[in-house]
């Protein structure tokens, strides 16, 4: 059997994806099962996290959000098997049943973003009915699931659109969104729009998609693509609010911290890998996986999926995903 792996150059850090012949699976041990993969979603690989966790290898398996016969789940970070393979071996503690109404591609395509949305809105910000939530880049695969979860929980949802296509996508979710802020031309003030929408009170929860940390002159060009400045986020945050950030290098200066202190606000970092880094939270993790599947079955979650692709196109598609160039979720169908 062949599986997809990636290797990182030791000189320039460039990532390449390669198909490798995979050894036959060892005899199944206690609590391990063989899973015939029917679909596997593609997500960016956090090479920096792997390096910090001392988990670097010559060839690292690709594809962790899998759906297969009877069971589906997210492979742990240290899994030796790539999800992009016909048959894999996985511990039963990382699996939940797939409802009959849910297709293989839906299960694989929604499981990771569902876990991220639950982590951000339920565990990090304690979302409850009546709260106001700003979800940046709501038309992304993750943003769409987060919007649907927040709306289901009874929150007032505000979202930003980075292009005309994104705005049209969010308009189709109009029943779930109170306001769409179009920032594609770079002229709209996100903080001002949010304060206007909330009567000057600010939003209760902010889920960003990256922020600018410095002035435009000092910021790398990639950061200038319509991202709000950290001061904008702090300004639009309400009293007792929660800022959930994906910016792993967030830097807050003393005036920033003082403003957050005056508001009694909190900052939390969204790292969905925490569920796989410790067995202490295993029960909660499985509950999240199960609930994501149930919400898919009930039609509460409607993931943004691209057309399924065959295994032989996975290498090219993964290169696009790694560069963060795709909007919809890419899923390989076996």
């Amino acid at each position: 059997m062949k599986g997809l792996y990636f290797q990182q150059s030791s000189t320039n850090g460039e990532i390449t994806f390669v198909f490798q012949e995979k050894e036959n699976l060892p005899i199944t041990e206690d609590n391990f099962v063989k899973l015939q993969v029917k679909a596997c979603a593609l997500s960016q690989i956090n090479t920096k996290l792997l390096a910090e966790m001392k988990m670097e290898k010559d060839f690292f398996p690709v594809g962790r959000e899998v759906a297969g016969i009877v069971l589906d789940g997210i492979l742990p970070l240290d899994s030796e098997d790539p999800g992009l393979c016909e048959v894999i071996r996985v511990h039963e503690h990382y699996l939940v049943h797939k409802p009959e109404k849910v297709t293989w591609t839906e299960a694989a395509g929604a499981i990771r973003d569902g876990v991220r949305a639950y982590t951000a809105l339920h565990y990090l910000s304690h979302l409850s009915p009546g709260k106001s939530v700003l979800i940046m880049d709501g038309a992304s695969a993750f943003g769409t699931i987060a919007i649907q979860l927040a709306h289901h929980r009874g929150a007032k949802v505000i979202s930003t659109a980075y292009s005309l296509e994104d705005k049209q996508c969010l308009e189709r979710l109009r029943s779930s969104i109170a306001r769409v802020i179009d920032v594609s031309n770079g002229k709209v003030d996100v903080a001002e729009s949010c304060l206007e929408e909330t009567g000057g009170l600010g939003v209760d929860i902010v889920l960003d998609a990256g922020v600018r940390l410095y002035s435009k002159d000092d910021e790398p060009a990639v950061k200038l693509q319509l991202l709000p400045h950290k001061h904008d986020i702090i300004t639009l945050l309400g009293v007792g609010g929660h800022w959930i950030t994906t910016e792993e290098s967030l830097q807050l200066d003393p005036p920033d911290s003082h403003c957050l202190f005056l508001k009694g606000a909190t900052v939390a970092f969204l790292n969905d890998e925490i569920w796989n880094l410790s067995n202490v939270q295993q029960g909660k993790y499985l509950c999240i996986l199960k609930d994501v599947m149930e919400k898919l079955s009930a039609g509460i979650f409607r993931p943004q999926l691209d057309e399924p692709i065959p295994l032989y196109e996975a290498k090219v598609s993964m290169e696009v995903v790694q560069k963060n160039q795709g909007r919809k979720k890419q899923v390989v169908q076996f």
Side-chain angles (χ1 to χ4, degrees):
M1 292 184 298
K2 285 187 177 181
L4 186 64
Y5 296 79
F6 84 84
Q7 59 181 158
Q8 189 169 15
S9 170
S10 58
T11 54
N12 58 13
E14 183 179 348
I15 289 179
T16 55
F17 296 93
V18 294
F19 280 107
Q20 291 266 87
E21 282 293 338
K22 185 173 170 293
E23 297 179 2
N24 291 330
L25 294 178
I27 298 175
T28 303
E29 306 169 11
D30 290 343
N31 301 320
F32 278 82
V33 297
K34 285 185 178 179
L35 180 66
Q36 183 180 356
V37 179
K38 291 292 186 180
C40 177
L42 305 180
S43 294
Q44 270 189 310
I45 298 168
N46 191 336
T47 55
K48 185 177 180 180
L49 177 64
L50 293 175
E52 291 173 347
M53 297 295 298
K54 311 293 185 187
M55 297 176 65
E56 294 171 298
K57 303 176 183 178
D58 291 336
F59 293 93
F60 202 90
V62 174
R64 295 172 50 218
E65 304 122 85
V66 298
I69 291 179
V70 179
L71 302 168
D72 82 299
I74 300 180
L75 299 183
L77 191 61
D78 58 354
S79 172
E80 297 181 359
D81 294 326
L84 290 167
C85 188
E86 292 179 358
V87 180
I88 60 175
R89 187 183 71 123
V90 59
H91 197 286
E92 63 183 5
H93 287 173
Y94 294 101
L95 302 170
V96 292
H97 285 284
K98 180 187 75 66
E100 290 185 10
K101 292 182 180 179
V102 178
T103 67
W104 301 117
T105 54
E106 287 175 339
I111 192 78
R112 186 185 186 94
D113 289 327
V115 169
R116 294 190 76 208
Y118 264 86
T119 304
L121 297 176
H122 184 69
Y123 288 98
L124 296 180
S125 58
H126 312 291
L127 178 66
S128 59
K131 296 286 188 180
S132 56
V133 183
L134 170 63
I135 298 175
M136 309 295 291
D137 193 15
S140 65
F142 167 59
T144 302
I145 294 292
I147 288 172
Q148 293 166 355
L149 178 60
H151 175 70
H152 177 69
R153 291 288 177 86
K156 177 181 181 179
V157 182
I158 306 169
S159 187
T160 57
Y162 290 170
S163 67
L164 177 59
E165 291 77 11
D166 287 355
K167 184 178 180 181
Q168 292 172 343
C169 174
L170 292 174
E171 290 290 349
R172 291 194 289 270
L173 296 172
R174 196 61 191 179
S175 61
S176 303
I177 306 176
R179 181 168 181 172
V180 176
I181 304 173
D182 185 359
V183 298
S184 59
N185 58 14
K187 298 178 181 179
V188 176
D189 190 313
V190 175
E192 184 178 313
S193 299
C194 288
L195 291 172
E196 177 184 322
E197 185 64 33
T198 57
L201 297 176
V203 298
D204 299 304
I205 300 169
V206 178
L207 177 52
D208 73 34
V211 294
R212 288 190 290 112
L213 304 178
Y214 315 106
S215 65
K216 290 188 175 182
D217 295 334
D218 299 326
E219 196 77 67
V222 68
K223 284 283 189 180
L224 299 180
Q225 297 178 358
L226 312 177
L227 293 178
H229 195 278
K230 61 180 178 179
H231 295 151
D232 297 329
I233 301 294
I234 295 173
T235 299
L236 63 84
L237 198 61
V239 173
H242 302 281
W243 176 9
I244 313 302
T245 183
T246 58
E247 187 62 55
E248 59 185 44
S249 300
L250 180 66
Q251 180 179 333
L252 296 177
D253 299 318
D256 302 327
S257 298
H258 183 65
C259 187
L260 290 169
F261 167 76
L262 292 176
K263 293 186 176 188
T266 63
V267 179
F269 293 87
L270 178 56
N271 175 14
D272 51 293
E273 297 293 356
I274 58 172
W275 302 107
N276 286 317
L277 297 179
S278 172
N279 291 329
V280 175
Q281 306 288 346
Q282 191 67 39
K284 291 181 180 179
Y285 178 57
L286 288 176
C287 283
I288 295 175
L289 295 180
K290 182 179 179 182
D291 208 35
V292 170
M293 288 297 106
E294 289 176 351
K295 282 181 169 49
L296 268 175
S297 181
I300 296 170
F301 285 167
R302 299 183 302 280
Q304 271 208 98
L305 305 180
D306 216 332
E307 288 295 320
I309 57 176
L311 179 59
Y312 64 83
E313 292 183 6
K315 179 178 177 292
V316 174
S317 296
M318 192 60 210
E319 291 171 351
V320 173
V321 170
Q322 189 64 24
K323 295 175 182 177
N324 199 25
Q325 294 177 340
R327 296 298 284 164
K328 294 183 178 181
K329 197 75 172 180
Q330 297 280 342
V331 180
V332 176
Q333 188 171 32
F334 289 79

